[in-house]
Amino acid sequence: MAQESSPNRDPLLHAAETAEGGSLLASPGALVALLCLTSVLGMLGTSSFAALLPDFQRDWGLSNTDAGWISGIFFAGYVAAVPLLVGSTDRIDPRRIYLLSFVIAAAASLGYALFAEGFWSALALRALAGVGLAGGYMPGLKLLTDRVGGPRQGRYVAYYTGGFSLGTAFSFAFTGEAAALLGWRGAFAATAAGAALGFALVLLLVRKATTEEMIREAADRRALDFRPVFRNRPAMGFILGYSGHTWELFALRSWLVAFLVQAARFAGGSADIAEASWLTTAIVLVSTAASIYGAELASRSDRRRVIGRIMLLSVAMAVVTGLSTGAPVALVAALCLAYHMVVMGDSAALTGGAVATAAPGQRGATLAVHSILGFGAAFIGPLAVGLVLDLAGGEGSRLAWLLAFLIMGAGSAAAFAAIRRL
């Protein structure tokens, strides 16, 4: 089905059709939609532990620090796998890595359903789940940017990163509802089925790439040599900014259900995990629009200035949300929504900035460093919150939650400093 190249043809459509025997997808938009859908399916288990965290703490006797380790180890597994899985996408078709990610994600979720019995088994299986995300998120972005170029690439990147947020959001709701029907083991097994469906869709609808451009561009770079990326100051500015962003974002998401449950208790109401999971889902879903809007605004203005203003507002919202304990649950939830939306406002803009400033032939390497540092911070953020909660009196202390939100906001404060300097 290959078509002759023409100067009048849409370059985005031509890029999308650079596949063996053409493409089963009619347009770049269809490819983006498919990648967003499969991201959601592959990520159904991403937030499963956070969605059921209060239950696991009760049933397994986990401290807040224990829970922080299990939440954070997911991102440690991600970081450990990124150099190989993302770094290799400059030399091989990212589709192969993307498909592998679904296999790993399914194995991790099914393993959790069958074998998780406490802290150590949960720790190991959540680390494996993080490896699955490492093969999915950034390789999927590389798959997209290899096939879709031109002036609308930044917009498609924003849509794709928005799909990542959708996956996180649906994971909360899906896990909460599935656990109510099937128990937590059944819920994790169901997320494994979602990853298997994502694998099938990509296998059937995304063709193997035939172009060798990706390999030729990276011919002069040694495998896993990231030194040129660290010498690229503009890219490193966005990468370090992204690191502060992920510290804050995933610390907030990892503890949001637990905070909403505790906020209901502070207000004298009943604490319902399923309701808190749905509230968290709504918060993450609505915030996806903020990420896309932030990326559009940054692309039309001074990217660094837009990102910096969002980061300063995020620090302020962290303080306000941390002070909200004891207020009516509706007000607390509204503040959590506003805070999460602000945090998400610079998400796609930071990733788009890293892609835009990557040197020729270094896009995969740049995204690898972006992920290593970014999700390294995502590992430490949830753990830091758990440690603060334990040291400051536990989840029943309002002061402890205020300090926890200050720790979250410190991520944006550090990111602002990095953006300003680099």
Side-chain angles (χ1 to χ4, degrees), residues 100-115 125 128-129 192 195-196:
L100 177 63
S101 75
F102 292 107
V103 176
I104 298 172
S109 289
L110 188 59
Y112 199 102
L114 296 175
F115 304 118
L125 289 162
L128 180 62

Side-chain angles (χ1 to χ4, degrees), residues 306-358:
V306 169
I307 290 172
R309 289 175 177 174
I310 292 172
M311 288 173 173
L312 289 178
L313 182 57
S314 184
V315 173
M317 285 302 306
V319 176
V320 172
T321 308
L323 290 170
S324 69
T325 53
V329 176
L331 176 59
V332 174
L335 286 172
C336 287
L337 169 61
Y339 178 31
H340 193 275
M341 288 185 72
V342 174
V343 174
M344 284 294 294
D346 58 7
S347 183
L350 286 163
T351 300
V355 171
T357 54

Side-chain angles (χ1 to χ4, degrees), residues 94 381 383 402:
L383 176 58
L402 172 59

Side-chain angles (χ1 to χ4, degrees), residues 26-419:
S27 68
L31 176 62
V32 175
L34 176 69
L35 292 178
C36 287
L37 172 61
T38 53
S39 290
V40 171
L41 291 171
M43 292 176 60
L44 285 178
T46 298
S47 304
S48 294
F49 179 79
L52 302 175
L53 191 155
D55 281 348
F56 287 129
Q57 283 190 285
R58 182 195 64 229
D59 295 344
W60 291 346
L62 301 176
S63 69
N64 291 305
T65 302
D66 292 336
W69 270 107
I70 298 173
S71 293
I73 202 68
F74 177 88
F75 302 107
Y78 180 102
V79 170
V82 156
L84 178 62
L85 296 181
V86 181
S88 64
T89 59
D90 278 329
R91 294 177 173 271
I92 64 174
D93 187 356
R95 175 182 178 272
R96 294 168 60 186
I97 307 297
Y98 195 57
L99 284 169
L100 177 63
S101 75
F102 292 107
V103 176
I104 298 172
S109 289
L110 188 59
Y112 199 102
L114 296 175
F115 304 118
E117 297 289 349
F119 176 79
W120 290 108
S121 54
L123 196 74
L125 289 162
R126 291 304 289 168
L128 180 62
V131 174
L133 182 62
Y137 182 35
M138 287 298 169
L141 179 59
K142 182 64 162 54
L143 187 157
L144 172 65
T145 56
D146 280 351
R147 289 161 170 77
V148 177
R152 287 183 286 178
Q153 186 186 71
R155 179 175 297 174
Y156 289 132
V157 168
Y159 291 157
Y160 177 80
T161 57
F164 177 83
S165 295
L166 290 176
T168 304
F170 280 116
S171 178
F172 281 105
F174 183 86
T175 302
E177 290 299 315
L181 293 173
L182 307 171
W184 67 263
R185 293 189 187 277
F188 274 87
T191 66
L197 177 57
F199 176 91
L201 289 173
V202 173
L203 184 68
L204 293 172
L205 296 179
V206 179
R207 300 289 194 182
K208 297 178 182 178
T210 57
T211 179
E212 298 299 322
E213 291 176 357
M214 174 178 60
I215 297 175
R216 288 199 303 270
E217 285 178 355
D220 295 329
R221 183 177 69 83
R222 294 178 182 176
L224 305 183
D225 179 9
F226 303 121
R227 289 173 296 178
V229 179
F230 286 98
R231 292 193 292 266
N232 184 343
R233 285 177 61 86
M236 285 305 301
F238 291 113
I239 289 170
L240 292 176
Y242 184 72
S243 300
H245 162 77
T246 53
W247 166 295
E248 182 175 29
L249 177 64
F250 290 104
L252 175 59
R253 286 182 179 176
S254 294
W255 287 97
L256 190 50
V257 171
F259 175 65
L260 290 171
V261 168
Q262 192 60 46
R265 292 173 180 157
F266 284 142
S270 59
D272 184 88
I273 291 178
E275 182 179 344
S277 294
W278 272 108
L279 276 173
T280 300
T281 297
I283 288 169
V284 178
L285 277 176
V286 172
S287 300
T288 302
S291 177
I292 296 173
Y293 176 75
E296 287 283 328
L297 187 63
S299 68
R300 298 180 182 182
S301 183
D302 184 333
R303 183 184 296 269
R304 188 185 69 164
R305 182 173 298 176
V306 169
I307 290 172
R309 289 175 177 174
I310 292 172
M311 288 173 173
L312 289 178
L313 182 57
S314 184
V315 173
M317 285 302 306
V319 176
V320 172
T321 308
L323 290 170
S324 69
T325 53
V329 176
L331 176 59
V332 174
L335 286 172
C336 287
L337 169 61
Y339 178 31
H340 193 275
M341 288 185 72
V342 174
V343 174
M344 284 294 294
D346 58 7
S347 183
L350 286 163
T351 300
V355 171
T357 54
Q362 293 289 329
R363 185 179 292 160
T366 301
L367 290 176
V369 174
H370 190 69
S371 292
I372 291 168
L373 297 186
F375 284 84
F379 159 59
I380 300 172
L383 176 58
V385 170
L387 286 169
V388 166
L389 286 173
D390 278 341
L391 291 173
E395 65 273 15
S397 165
R398 295 183 183 180
L399 174 61
W401 281 110
L402 172 59
L403 294 175
F405 275 90
L406 292 179
I407 287 294
M408 295 178 197
S412 273
F416 177 77
I419 287 289

